[in-house]
Amino acid sequence: MPFFKNLRNSFSLSGIRHIPGPRGLEFVKLMFHFKRDSLGALEETEKKFGTIASYGWPINTIIIYDTKLIKQVLGDKRKIYVKGAQTDEMKVVMGNGLVTNNDRKSWLRSRVIVSKELGPAAITGFSRIIYELTKKRINSWKENGSSNLDFSLEMRNLTFAIAGKTLLGSDLTEEDARIVDEAVLYTSKMAHDHMFELFPLPYWVPTKKNREFHRHNNNLSSIVKRLLNQEKAHSDEAKAKSILQRLVYAKNPDTGEGLSDRELKDEVITLLIAGYETTSNSLAWIFGLLANHIDIQDELREELRNAEEITSINFKNSHPKLYRAIVEGIRLYTTIPMSSRKNLEDDQFGEYKVPKGTSIVIPVWNIHRSEKHWDDALRFNPKRFEGVEVNRLDHYLPFSKGERRCVGENFSLIEVAIIVSEVLKSYKLELEGTSLPRAVSHVSLKPENGMPIKLTRIEA
Ligand code: HEM
């Protein structure tokens, strides 16, 4: 029962008041600011308190803006950190899948299995599906003579079609797809809203919103369970193509163990929720940035002329300009603007003692936009990554760091690269309006009112 658990934890912790942070009326004002505009509130907190700020009862959270402390949490001391209260909110939808699992042993067992199904061999196979569905979508724009599109919606539809086929498989009907899409949107938005409530109403209280939440959550579970049961009934490993189908047969190479029915369901729902909205929002922002920088689009088109197809993460070398535009896009508009952790043992942040059980927020949004780390930080400038190995940078965290880093990183980078390259080969993009839309955080970072882009055909 997260409500009572939060309340209990809150009362049992009073040990972070020695760390500077808002108190009294300022605390209440900032909490309302978080609820209204979490990115703005992260910025205001940093401006007022610097590299570390504590929010006391009832949320008992410390925000760390210092990359040394972030490295301590995600790297050196990772074994004493688990996912935090903010991530716990997602458990009601994702169960004990990889994102939310805090039991190290079972997390590691599942991580090994899922990583393999998202590894290089699988990605090369899926790249064909990504090309096929992307070309189909672009052809539909051509047939409809589309010249103005909301790329937020278009990318959502396209990445959902890709997730439907690669993750859930071809047995997904159109009706199922619609239900799954609605359920993912509703449940993840509601779990996110819970994160910023001081005293969130438990999900069992029969309010209209909660009933709607349960309806969507049940729909999602029953479709995934049905697809899993279908696969088990066929029991034909040689024909298993989708990630869902392959997970049914997958075994941990060290122990020979597979996933239980419950684990299978949780992992599939987790991959679905963690995978396609993040990729779709990254694409919307990258297209928005390119539409605002015609010169960079032209440079990419030049690189794409006669370039080979993208089938593996080696596109970093074969398409360096495209790769740099993508990593710069997800720096500036980082898809997951904050992550959360909780310490299982007392820790020390510089001069401050951090008692066991404190929620720690890592504000990736601020780190990626800070002049401390980036020259002219708010400028879209892919060239800043020339000769830079991004994985070495402590201040570049779009996929997080350490052992809990994104398991779908390469899959999503390849998906993004294929979609960007195919669209740029067919169309010149211009932003409608003079600037990019405002960014809002709903777990992942969305353009507030879509991403309207004007398209001009450039091929014969
Ligand atoms: C541009 C696209 C994506 C971005 C920016 C992204 C970002 C992230 C981040 C920041 C985390 C760590 C969260 C934390 O530390 O609390 C994460 C974890 C995760 N991501 Fe992604 N992700 C993307 C795409 C995907 C895709 C396509 C999949 C699956 C097909 C996926 C599956 C996961 C899973 C399962 C985890 C949890 C890993 C673990 O804890 O072991 N992600 N992602």
Side-chain angles (χ1 to χ4, degrees):
M1 213 67 58
F3 174 71
F4 292 117
K5 206 172 73 194
N6 284 347
L7 208 60
R8 199 181 53 238
N9 287 346
S10 307
F11 279 118
S12 64
L13 274 167
S14 55
I16 57 172
R17 285 189 70 83
H18 59 293
I19 301 174
R23 305 285 179 258
L25 191 60
E26 191 179 35
F27 172 88
V28 177
K29 275 193 190 153
L30 269 162
M31 281 312 295
F32 276 108
H33 195 174
F34 265 107
K35 200 164 152 48
R36 222 180 42 246
D37 165 21
S38 49
L39 303 175
L42 280 178
E43 285 166 2
E44 193 182 337
T45 306
E46 184 179 18
K47 227 179 268 162
K48 285 195 167 142
F49 301 101
T51 53
I52 181 163
S54 75
Y55 278 71
W57 187 85
I59 60 162
N60 292 310
T61 295
I62 298 177
I63 308 180
I64 47 176
Y65 296 89
D66 178 345
T67 48
K68 279 201 204 84
L69 295 180
I70 295 175
K71 199 170 171 214
Q72 174 175 330
V73 170
L74 299 180
D76 314 338
K77 296 260 190 99
R78 65 188 179 281
K79 290 205 173 133
I80 64 160
Y81 282 91
V82 291
K83 293 296 182 89
Q86 284 77 7
T87 314
D88 279 351
E89 283 296 343
M90 300 303 292
K91 263 194 181 288
V92 60
V93 190
M94 295 176 161
N96 220 15
L98 281 183
V99 169
T100 45
N101 192 344
N102 272 342
D103 171 48
R104 204 162 185 282
K105 203 166 156 220
S106 71
W107 163 78
L108 193 59
R109 209 182 51 211
S110 299
R111 172 93 191 193
V112 171
I113 290 179
V114 173
S115 305
K116 180 160 176 278
E117 298 312 326
L118 288 169
I123 293 179
T124 301
F126 291 138
S127 64
R128 246 166 277 132
I129 298 176
I130 301 172
Y131 268 110
E132 192 187 294
L133 291 171
T134 306
K135 285 181 177 156
K136 197 168 150 199
R137 190 98 209 153
I138 294 175
N139 284 339
S140 79
W141 301 342
K142 290 178 185 164
E143 279 157 22
N144 300 333
S146 307
S147 56
N148 291 72
L149 285 173
D150 173 3
F151 262 63
S152 193
L153 189 66
E154 286 301 319
M155 290 305 115
R156 186 176 168 80
N157 289 336
L158 176 55
T159 53
F160 182 71
I162 292 168
K165 195 134 188 199
T166 55
L167 176 60
L168 301 180
S170 47
D171 291 342
L172 192 73
T173 64
E174 260 184 42
E175 178 60 3
D176 286 345
R178 190 187 57 73
I179 295 172
V180 169
D181 191 23
E182 274 179 21
V184 170
L185 196 63
Y186 195 91
T187 51
S188 51
K189 164 86 173 67
M190 197 153 154
H192 173 265
D193 289 350
H194 258 223
M195 291 176 196
F196 298 105
E197 299 282 357
L198 281 179
F199 298 106
L201 261 190
Y203 286 102
W204 51 261
V205 178
T207 58
K208 193 168 168 234
K209 266 189 173 175
N210 277 353
R211 282 202 302 272
E212 196 55 9
F213 173 84
H214 288 299
R215 185 176 71 77
H216 283 301
N217 209 8
N218 293 339
N219 282 345
L220 189 59
S221 279
S222 46
I223 290 176
V224 169
K225 273 191 206 154
R226 198 188 70 224
L227 293 172
L228 285 166
N229 288 339
Q230 271 169 18
E231 185 55 36
K232 286 189 175 156
H234 293 156
S235 198
D236 189 350
E237 188 172 353
K239 287 198 179 139
K241 294 268 185 306
S242 69
I243 296 171
L244 175 146
Q245 290 167 330
R246 295 170 59 91
L247 283 176
V248 168
Y249 307 100
K251 302 265 182 290
N252 183 313
D254 300 328
T255 62
E257 266 180 297
L259 298 173
S260 68
D261 286 356
R262 181 66 203 243
E263 286 170 331
L264 276 170
K265 182 187 79 79
D266 287 351
E267 292 309 348
V268 170
I269 291 179
T270 292
L271 291 174
L272 190 60
I273 293 182
Y276 87 94
E277 266 228 283
T278 41
T279 311
S280 114
N281 286 324
S282 304
L283 277 159
W285 288 113
I286 291 167
F287 278 120
L289 287 162
L290 290 174
N292 213 12
H293 291 84
I294 307 284
D295 51 334
I296 299 178
Q297 266 183 66
D298 290 342
E299 282 178 25
L300 295 191
R301 252 178 235 112
E302 189 55 41
E303 180 177 88
L304 288 168
R305 199 171 296 157
N306 305 322
E308 60 199 51
E309 281 212 336
I310 295 166
T311 54
S312 78
I313 198 64
N314 285 338
F315 88 91
K316 285 179 183 181
N317 305 319
S318 58
H319 300 66
K321 289 185 176 161
L322 175 63
Y323 175 68
R324 289 197 290 264
I326 294 171
V327 290
E328 171 69 343
I330 52 181
R331 174 191 70 84
L332 205 44
Y333 286 92
T334 192
T335 322
I336 308 285
M338 62 187 110
S339 301
S340 89
R341 294 291 187 272
K342 188 170 52 193
N343 50 343
L344 299 172
E345 292 170 19
D346 290 352
D347 199 2
Q348 191 74 29
F349 286 171
E351 65 197 275
Y352 303 116
K353 182 179 171 196
V354 182
K356 167 183 165 182
T358 305
S359 281
I360 312 292
V361 165
I362 299 167
V364 182
W365 170 261
N366 305 60
I367 305 290
H368 280 191
R369 297 183 146 229
S370 166
E371 293 286 336
K372 269 191 265 171
H373 306 301
W374 311 94
D375 287 339
D376 209 356
L378 300 187
R379 189 156 79 91
F380 177 60
N381 174 22
K383 284 202 172 85
R384 70 172 81 244
F385 286 108
E386 270 175 12
V388 175
E389 175 44 70
V390 292
N391 288 325
R392 296 238 171 97
L393 303 178
D394 292 338
H395 49 279
Y396 189 75
L397 305 149
F399 296 100
S400 190
K401 294 270 187 201
E403 60 185 11
R404 299 299 294 251
R405 72 181 292 145
C406 179
V407 75
E409 175 175 347
N410 286 350
F411 183 99
S412 61
L413 284 173
I414 287 159
E415 181 173 348
V416 169
I418 292 175
I419 295 173
V420 173
S421 65
E422 286 304 295
V423 172
L424 288 186
K425 281 193 237 163
S426 297
Y427 286 104
K428 178 179 161 196
L429 314 176
E430 285 163 279
L431 208 55
E432 278 189 48
T434 50
S435 56
L436 284 166
R438 199 171 89 93
V440 288
S441 164
H442 289 167
V443 184
S444 65
L445 193 78
K446 289 188 172 60
E448 189 170 32
N449 293 312
M451 182 65 77
I453 288 181
K454 183 168 161 254
L455 301 178
T456 311
R457 293 265 305 258
I458 53 170
E459 57 180 2

